[in-house]
Amino acid sequence: MEQKRLDECVQALNSRGVKLPCPRCGQKSFSIVAETIIPINDKPNVVAVGGPSIPTIIVACDNCGYITQHAQGPLGLLKEGGNNG
Ligand SMILES: [Zn+2]
């Protein structure tokens, strides 16, 4: 992830009060690992490429690796021309 984008993500999380420690180990240091999408699928046995999805950022605890995701939409992080969220 580019530094500019990383800064946007960090700022978005901070501005919304995302400050609680890791729910698994209690440490307070996290890293934004990557951006990804969560595919939305009404038919669990069918893989649909290019279907609807939720863009997210992946955040991992620096101590235990516990991973959480934040939808980009509420954080104002959706890229122009991107998917909805
Ligand atoms: Zn942890």
Side-chain angles (χ1 to χ4, degrees), residues 21-30 60-67:
C22 175
R24 296 294 288 159
C25 74
Q27 296 298 308
K28 295 181 179 178
S29 180
F30 297 87
C61 171
D62 288 338
N63 183 54
C64 76
Y66 184 69
I67 286 178

Side-chain angles (χ1 to χ4, degrees), residues 49-65:
V49 177
S53 61
I54 301 172
T56 66
I57 57 174
I58 301 174
V59 180
C61 171
D62 288 338
N63 183 54
C64 76

Side-chain angles (χ1 to χ4, degrees), residues 12-20:
L13 292 174
N14 286 338
S15 71
R16 286 157 176 83
V18 182
K19 296 174 180 171
L20 294 180

